[in-house]
Amino acid sequence: MTTLGEIAVVAGAYLRGCDAATVIVGVAPLHRAEPGYLSFLTHRRYRACLETTRATAVILSPEDAASCSTPAVVAANPHVAYARAAALFAPVAESRRGVHCTAWVSPDSHIAADTWIGPHCVVEAGAVIEAGVVIGPGCVIGEYAIIGANSRLVAQVTICHRVRLGQRVLIHPGAVIGSDGFGLALDSKGRWLKVPQLGSVLIGDEVEIGANTTIDRGALEDTVIEDGVKLDNQIQIAHNVHIGAHSALAGCVGIAGSARIGRHCMLGGGVGIAGHLEIVDHVQITGMSLVTQSITESGVYSSGLAVEPNRIWNKISARLRRLDEIFRRLAALEKKSNRDGTL
C-alpha cells in the first residue's frame, strides 16, 4: 500500500481533486478498478470509461484531466507515470544468497559473495558472476562468461562461453545468448562447411531480453547490444548485428547478420531486417514490415498490406498479379503516343 502523495512524487505528477494522504492498495484498468485502486488512461479509445470508473484516482494527461470528474494524478506522459507508479505495487523477489545444493559451480569460476545460484545451474570454469546477481533454476553459464552486477537470469537461460553481460540486465526464461551464428560456406562438391564463429556477444547495461530470444555470437567481431535495449520474446538476432542504445524490438523480429540498428529505434512485431543493412537513429518500423535496403533518414516506415475481408483480398491479389502486364501495356501506349505526337 502507498499514498497518492507518494505516487505523485514517484510518477513526477501532480494531484487534482485528491487528498495526498489517500491510501492506494493496487492498480487496475478503468473498467475493473474498485475504490482504493489507482487506474490510468493512456489511449483515447478508453476515454468513455472515465465516466463509469470506480477507481479512487486516475493517471492521465492535462488534456484528459479537463474532462474527468474523478480525482486525478496528472502527468505530461501518463504512460511513463503509470509505469513508475505500478512499480510500487510489483512483487519483490525474495532475496537469497549462496549456491543451491543441486547446482554445479566450477572451482575455477569467480562468484561474488552476495549472489544467488539456483537449483540445477551450471557455472563453467573462468566465469565471473558479479555482486547482487540472481541466477534462477536451470541456467547455464559458459566458460569465461561475465555476468554484470545486479543482473537477473530468471530461469533456463543459457549464456555461452565468453559472453559479457553488463549491469542490471534482465533475461527471461529460455533465452540463449552466444550460440553459434549461421555461418556456412558451400564447397565445390555442394556441401556446407561450417565457418567457425570466433566472436562473442556484448550486452550493455540495463538491457532486457525476452523469453526464448536468441542472440548469436559474432563470426569474428562481437554481436553488440548497447545500453538500455529492450528485446521482446522470440526474437532472432544473427551474428555481428549491432543494436544501438535504448532501441526496442517487439516479438518475432528477425535480424540477419551484420545489420546495424541505430539508437532509439522501434521495430514492431514480426519485422524482418536483411543482412548488412544500416538503419539510422530514431527510426520506427511498423509490424510485419520487411526491410531490404538501408534506411538513412529518421522517420516511420512500413511495408506489406493490412488484413482485408477475404473476398476483397482475392480481388487485390488478382490485380497485383496483373501489375506487370498493365505496366507493359501502359509503357507501350506512352511510346505510341510519343511517336504519334499526341503527348
Side-chain angles (χ1 to χ4, degrees):
M1 293 189 297
T2 187
T3 66
L4 283 176
E6 293 168 335
I7 289 170
V9 171
V10 168
Y14 65 90
L15 302 179
R16 195 217 62 183
C18 301
D19 181 352
T22 300
V23 173
I24 299 296
V25 299
V27 293
L30 286 167
H31 65 285
R32 291 178 51 194
E34 298 290 335
Y37 280 77
L38 177 72
S39 193
F40 57 95
L41 176 64
T42 58
H43 197 288
R44 59 188 179 187
R45 74 176 64 175
Y46 300 111
R47 282 177 182 165
C49 295
L50 285 175
E51 299 178 3
T52 57
T53 187
R54 301 181 64 203
T56 292
V58 179
I59 297 175
L60 35 61
S61 68
E63 294 77 15
D64 288 319
S67 58
C68 178
S69 59
T70 302
V73 180
V74 184
N77 188 327
H79 200 187
V80 171
Y82 165 72
R84 292 171 176 165
L88 297 173
F89 301 93
V92 178
E94 179 184 357
S95 178
R96 292 179 286 184
R97 296 181 180 180
V99 178
H100 192 273
C101 62
T102 62
W104 184 86
V105 177
S106 169
D108 295 323
S109 61
H110 305 276
I111 313 297
D114 60 347
T115 62
W116 167 249
I117 300 175
H120 305 291
C121 289
V122 174
V123 180
E124 299 282 2
V128 176
I129 299 177
E130 297 180 353
V133 169
V134 175
I135 299 179
C139 294
V140 176
I141 312 300
E143 293 181 338
Y144 300 101
I146 299 174
I147 312 298
N150 299 306
S151 294
R152 182 185 175 205
L153 282 57
V154 177
Q156 300 289 337
V157 173
T158 299
I159 306 295
C160 298
H161 62 285
R162 294 188 295 107
V163 168
R164 291 165 289 169
L165 304 187
Q167 299 183 23
R168 299 176 299 282
V169 173
L170 173 60
I171 306 181
H172 293 281
V176 178
I177 315 299
S179 56
D180 278 358
F182 195 56
L184 301 168
L186 190 63
D187 70 13
S188 59
K189 297 181 180 180
R191 297 176 300 190
W192 292 108
L193 179 67
K194 183 176 178 61
V195 177
Q197 302 293 286
L198 304 178
S200 188
V201 179
L202 175 60
I203 307 290
D205 297 339
E206 297 181 349
V207 170
E208 183 168 352
I209 299 171
N212 295 322
T213 283
T214 53
I215 304 175
D216 292 345
R217 67 191 316 106
L220 286 174
E221 298 180 333
D222 294 338
T223 300
V224 177
I225 312 296
E226 292 187 3
D227 294 348
V229 169
K230 308 300 180 185
L231 303 176
D232 198 0
N233 302 331
Q234 298 179 330
I235 290 172
Q236 161 64 15
I237 297 174
H239 56 189
N240 296 105
V241 167
H242 190 121
I243 299 180
H246 307 292
S247 289
L249 283 61
C252 298
V253 165
I255 305 178
S258 299
R260 295 183 64 89
I261 312 299
R263 297 184 170 198
H264 299 281
C265 291
M266 293 186 290
L267 276 59
V271 164
I273 309 291
H276 301 275
L277 302 184
E278 184 165 353
I279 296 174
V280 299
D281 299 346
H282 298 284
V283 165
Q284 180 178 345
I285 302 174
T286 60
M288 300 301 293
S289 295
L290 176 62
V291 181
T292 58
Q293 58 187 357
S294 293
I295 297 176
T296 58
E297 294 185 7
S298 300
V300 181
Y301 294 80
S302 301
S303 74
L305 298 174
V307 67
E308 297 282 357
N310 188 64
R311 66 184 186 281
I312 296 176
W313 171 249
N314 286 339
K315 293 178 181 179
I316 293 172
S317 179
R319 289 165 181 166
L320 286 173
R321 288 195 295 269
R322 295 187 60 200
L323 277 180
D324 185 63
E325 175 194 347
I326 293 170
F327 176 81
R328 291 171 184 270
R329 291 170 61 185
L330 179 60
L333 287 172
E334 288 179 338
K335 185 177 180 179
K336 182 177 183 300
S337 297
N338 288 332
R339 187 173 60 249
D340 296 343
T342 57
L343 282 181

